[in-house]
Amino acid sequence: MTTKIIYFMANGRLERAEFGADCSAADVKDLFRAAAEAGPHHILKMYKPNGSMVNISPRLEANSKDSYYQLEVVASDLQSVGMPPELDNMDYRLHHLESKVIEDMRKTPDIICELKSQVESFKRKLESVVHLSWMGLFKDDSKQQLSKFSPKPKTPPLSSQEERQQVRRKFLNMSSLQVTEEVREHLKTPIFDNWQWEEAEMLVLLQVMFTDLDFLTAFHIEMYVLQNFLFEVYCHYNSIPFHNFQHCFCVTQMMYGLIWLTDLRSKLSRIDLFIMLTSALCHDLDHPGYNNVYQINAQTDLALRYNDISPLENHHCAVAFGILSKPECNILKNLSCEQYKYIRRGMIKCILATDMARHNEILNKFKTMQPVFDFTNKDHKEVLMKIMVKVSDISNEARPMAVAEPWLDCLLQEFFNQSDTEKLKGLPVAPFMDRDKVSKPSSQTNFIRFVLVPLFTELTKLFPCLEIHSYLESRRRRRHSVGL
């Protein structure tokens, strides 16, 4: 029987592990858990020398002393939920099937490679997303030890209001704690993974964004007012598949990352940066999960109120300034009248620009300005601010595949919910939203080709550091090839 030798660093010591190819996933994890002196309900993470995470399983690649892995105990699992045995069993059966197929075909078929990838991805999510958030601020080991002997009694599910208040308590408890420099730096990148974070933690990170851009000092914002504002924004995002608070966070984080990546702090005023970040935060407030076309065709209250002109985007703006009208949430209350008007005008323009019906109009205007773009020109700057909010809003496909893929599932679910309702009401149904006509691989191909790539191409002309359109094109081709 062949054995595999793994070198890894645990608790500051270089360790050596040896196990056979037929060793189960549970046995391998127990081996590393013992080496790390971790309990049965601790969560382990293993990293390659380059910092990328690897899955702890029997198929862990052998290495040498010079290329050792780093093993870390990152948190305790409060719910004491282990990896489902069915998943490990599926993993074993897939591995066995692969061996049999290789014997017959001399190679691993693409479909098995894809299945293996999906199983590994799902296992990583179970290990790191459901039970782990990077800060781990409430993962208290003393409570974990107690839970082994006195399991928590089952409690009835919380109401929406109770859940929100629980998020608020966590947010306020965490808000005074220091977020590590590593997390702060990662927050400035387009590869940030939103799926690692709980809602309360996302509120903390939004607070970090406003703080690190020095908005509190510049605009005389009191911390408790900012916290009230952020929490009210959170409360005004609905629990729908796509246009929810997580989407709000992703768009705001992308805007924040682009501000740092393109060095906009040296090109635009702080008040313009504030407008863009706050617009990103508020751009989909109280989204009902049904787009403008539905609103107009169904003659909803929003369509009637705003005369069929960007009903959703007008509503998002109105909700944003409704929140700001509350004294305890008004982060603009210490500004001059002129500053308030400037911010309100800017936010309305940026949020209304997210209506995709205006996409070509705004992009073409940006194209004409491109050869002579001037950061001091008021009109040029205004169009750029709209473009930056638009890019942030539709940037999921520019993120790593592991982050982008779940978002596509969420988007399709919201599309299908709308088209199902449209069919029931006898309303027109867009083909790209119809579950009977659209496939997942093809659903984003045209979007990437005709919307994202042209937008990023123009933006890259102004900011060469954003060399991402070639990456988007390669992803479009990959989706297209999968759909053939």
Side-chain angles (χ1 to χ4, degrees):
M1 182 182 69
T2 58
T3 60
K4 192 177 292 186
I5 297 175
I6 306 292
Y7 292 94
F8 61 98
M9 186 70 70
N11 299 322
R13 302 187 307 271
L14 184 63
E15 303 277 5
R16 179 178 183 271
E18 187 173 336
F19 52 85
D22 60 345
C23 196
S24 70
D27 288 341
V28 171
K29 286 176 184 174
D30 284 344
L31 186 153
F32 285 109
R33 193 170 278 116
E37 300 176 359
H41 301 302
H42 282 82
I43 295 173
L44 303 181
K45 291 292 166 193
M46 186 170 278
Y47 302 91
K48 290 182 179 179
N50 64 5
S52 61
M53 193 170 68
V54 293
N55 191 33
I56 300 174
S57 77
R59 293 195 301 280
L60 192 63
E61 292 180 11
N63 59 359
S64 65
K65 289 183 180 179
D66 297 328
S67 58
Y68 61 82
Y69 296 115
Q70 184 74 36
L71 182 67
E72 294 181 6
V73 181
V74 290
S76 297
D77 169 17
L78 291 182
Q79 296 178 328
S80 303
V81 179
M83 185 66 67
E86 294 85 359
L87 195 57
D88 280 332
N89 185 40
M90 183 190 301
D91 197 18
Y92 172 78
R93 290 167 64 191
L94 191 58
H95 187 59
H96 181 68
L97 176 62
E98 181 185 14
S99 302
K100 289 290 186 184
V101 172
I102 290 174
E103 286 180 13
D104 296 335
M105 299 180 61
R106 306 289 183 185
K107 67 174 186 176
T108 302
D110 291 343
I111 186 65
I112 289 187
C113 291
E114 186 178 345
L115 283 171
K116 285 171 63 180
S117 175
Q118 289 175 359
V119 169
E120 290 300 326
S121 175
F122 186 52
K123 288 174 73 173
R124 283 196 296 273
K125 284 179 183 177
L126 282 178
E127 290 177 331
S128 61
V129 177
V130 176
H131 306 312
L132 171 67
S133 57
W134 287 7
M135 286 187 285
L137 297 175
F138 286 97
K139 317 292 195 286
D140 186 341
D141 277 356
S142 63
K143 292 179 181 177
Q144 172 62 27
Q145 294 297 324
L146 284 173
S147 69
K148 293 176 188 175
F149 301 103
S150 51
K152 293 180 182 178
K154 289 186 178 179
T155 55
L158 299 175
S159 66
S160 297
Q161 184 62 29
E162 288 170 331
E163 284 182 359
R164 287 173 179 171
Q165 288 308 313
Q166 189 176 72
V167 169
R168 179 179 176 82
R169 285 192 297 272
K170 285 186 178 183
F171 168 42
L172 295 178
N173 286 338
M174 288 189 288
S175 63
S176 60
L177 299 176
Q178 186 67 33
V179 176
T180 66
E181 191 60 31
E182 181 184 4
V183 171
R184 286 177 184 267
E185 288 304 311
H186 192 55
L187 192 60
K188 297 174 183 176
T189 68
I191 64 171
F192 191 86
D193 185 355
N194 66 281
W195 303 110
Q196 296 276 357
W197 302 83
E198 297 175 359
E199 290 172 327
E201 293 169 334
M202 286 189 270
L203 286 168
V204 172
L205 295 178
L206 290 170
Q207 178 180 302
V208 168
M209 296 179 206
F210 277 78
T211 303
D212 283 4
L213 288 172
D214 205 29
F215 290 160
L216 276 70
T217 303
F219 306 115
H220 312 291
I221 302 172
E222 297 157 294
M223 181 59 79
Y224 81 93
V225 176
L226 174 64
Q227 291 169 348
N228 289 339
F229 171 69
L230 293 175
F231 178 69
E232 278 299 307
V233 166
Y234 158 73
C235 289
H236 282 79
Y237 275 92
N238 296 317
S239 296
I240 53 180
F242 185 85
H243 292 96
N244 48 40
F245 178 67
Q246 276 194 315
H247 170 67
C248 150
F249 173 81
C250 280
V251 175
T252 310
Q253 185 276 320
M254 181 61 78
M255 172 58 70
Y256 179 72
L258 290 173
I259 287 172
W260 287 96
L261 191 60
T262 59
D263 195 26
L264 278 180
R265 293 170 303 139
S266 66
K267 299 176 176 69
L268 298 179
S269 66
R270 186 170 278 111
I271 198 167
D272 288 329
L273 300 181
F274 179 84
I275 287 171
M276 290 192 298
L277 194 76
T278 311
S279 297
L281 182 72
C282 299
H283 83 285
D284 270 333
L285 280 167
D286 197 35
H287 197 296
Y290 297 84
N291 68 13
N292 279 333
V293 173
Y294 174 87
Q295 303 298 324
I296 294 167
N297 287 340
Q299 300 179 25
T300 65
D301 288 344
L302 289 180
L304 295 174
R305 183 177 305 144
Y306 296 110
N307 303 309
D308 295 349
I309 301 172
S310 303
L312 288 179
E313 290 72 25
N314 274 296
H315 179 60
H316 305 325
C317 288
V319 174
F321 283 94
I323 293 172
L324 288 166
S325 70
K326 301 177 181 179
E328 68 275 15
C329 301
N330 189 1
I331 57 176
L332 309 179
K333 66 181 180 181
N334 292 322
L335 301 182
S336 68
C337 184
E338 287 306 309
Q339 285 177 312
Y340 174 82
K341 287 180 180 178
Y342 184 83
I343 289 174
R344 175 172 164 79
R345 188 163 55 245
M347 283 181 60
I348 291 172
K349 288 178 180 178
C350 284
I351 294 176
L352 290 181
T354 62
D355 183 353
M356 287 305 295
R358 298 186 57 205
H359 176 76
N360 289 331
E361 167 208 334
I362 296 169
L363 180 58
N364 289 335
K365 190 177 289 187
F366 186 55
K367 283 181 180 179
T368 61
M369 295 174 174
Q370 196 63 257
V372 291
F373 193 89
D374 181 2
F375 282 98
T376 63
N377 182 298
K378 178 177 174 292
D379 293 334
H380 290 196
K381 182 178 65 175
E382 184 179 293
V383 173
L384 175 63
M385 291 168 67
K386 292 177 182 178
I387 288 287
M388 296 299 280
V389 175
K390 283 175 60 60
V391 165
S392 301
D393 186 23
I394 59 176
S395 61
N396 280 336
E397 287 289 345
R399 294 183 186 270
M401 189 70 78
V403 181
E405 282 294 310
W407 277 118
L408 178 54
D409 293 332
C410 295
L411 181 62
L412 289 177
Q413 185 57 56
E414 200 166 287
F415 281 176
F416 295 158
N417 290 347
Q418 175 173 321
S419 63
D420 290 347
T421 302
E422 287 169 333
K423 289 175 184 177
L424 286 172
K425 292 188 175 185
L427 299 173
V429 178
F432 69 91
M433 286 186 160
D434 192 336
R435 69 171 74 243
D436 298 323
K437 296 179 180 178
V438 71
S439 67
K440 182 178 176 180
S442 65
S443 62
Q444 290 295 81
T445 302
N446 287 337
F447 179 76
I448 295 173
R449 181 179 180 182
F450 297 114
V451 179
L452 267 189
V453 170
L455 189 56
F456 272 101
T457 299
E458 291 305 316
L459 198 58
T460 301
K461 293 177 183 177
L462 189 60
F463 302 111
C465 59
L466 297 179
E467 275 293 345
I468 196 169
H469 59 274
S470 59
Y471 164 73
L472 288 169
E473 180 62 19
S474 68
R475 180 175 287 183
R476 180 193 70 80
R477 286 175 182 157
R478 177 185 168 187
R479 286 203 189 282
H480 183 65
S481 65
V482 172
L484 287 176

